[in-house]
Structures are given as C-alpha cells and as structure tokens.
Amino acid sequence: NNEYPPILQSKERQDFVARVYSKLLQAMFLKSEDLKWRVQNWVLPGCLEVNQRLKDVKVPVLAVAGTVDLLLPSEEEAKRFENEIPKCHVELIKGAGHAGALDQ
C-alpha cells in the first residue's frame, strides 16, 4: 500500500522517527492499569454522554479525517458523525494519518 503521504516516505522523516520514536513512547507510556482506569472512567462514560447528544448539535460541523489513520478509526467516525449530526460535512484527506496536518 503506497497510500502514505510523501513526508512519511522521506529519508529525513525516517531519520527523525529513528531519533525520536523511542523517547516519545517512553514519555507517553501508561501502565496497563492506568490506561484501563482511564478508559473505564473517562472515555466510555464520555462517549455514552456525547454520542446520545450528537443529533442535538445545532451548529455546522466539519469532520476531517485521514484515510490511513493507524491510531483510530477516524474515517469511520467522521462518516458516523455525518449520519448523526444534522449539519455535518465530512472531508477525507487521502493519504493522511492521525495527524493529518503534519502528514501533508
């Protein structure tokens, strides 16, 4: 699959990732029990509260998602928003990942 943006294929990007990736992972590392607690106590209750209210959004919404997001199912979520939020428009960015603005 060669759908990845050119910036991810460049030598400079590969060098950057080689220098930074392990440090980034260490900085973001959460213990398994911490992550489980956050999902159970923050993410799931938040989703339950927000999802039932999407149909009530009154302002126009622009949902932007990359087509190669490896972190989250952003494209599917954007399309779900379009179906549930009355004035929602979706723009899919071909070749963009989770950080679409950085991928282009």
Side-chain angles (χ1 to χ4, degrees):
N1 182 358
N2 199 12
E3 198 175 332
Y4 293 101
I7 191 171
L8 296 180
Q9 299 170 7
S10 70
K11 174 79 169 107
E12 293 81 13
R13 184 63 165 188
Q14 292 171 10
D15 291 344
F16 173 78
V17 170
R19 285 193 318 273
V20 175
Y21 186 69
S22 64
K23 293 176 187 173
L24 183 63
L25 284 180
Q26 290 173 357
M28 294 174 52
F29 182 72
L30 286 174
K31 294 179 184 173
S32 178
E33 61 270 12
D34 292 339
L35 181 58
K36 183 178 179 182
W37 186 90
R38 289 179 185 197
V39 168
Q40 287 177 338
N41 293 286
W42 291 347
V43 176
L44 295 178
C47 287
L48 290 173
E49 179 65 27
V50 170
N51 284 338
Q52 66 185 350
R53 297 171 58 192
L54 291 175
K55 66 185 178 321
D56 300 328
V57 174
K58 304 289 187 232
V59 297
V61 172
L62 173 61
V64 180
T67 60
V68 292
D69 187 341
L70 302 177
L71 185 62
L72 296 171
S74 297
E75 185 174 349
E76 291 83 1
E77 282 295 289
K79 290 175 181 177
R80 183 174 72 85
F81 289 163
E82 189 172 42
N83 288 328
E84 295 187 27
I85 299 173
K87 297 178 183 174
C88 182
H89 175 73
V90 170
E91 285 292 331
L92 299 177
I93 309 302
K94 184 176 181 182
H98 188 71
L102 300 175
D103 295 338
Q104 298 300 303

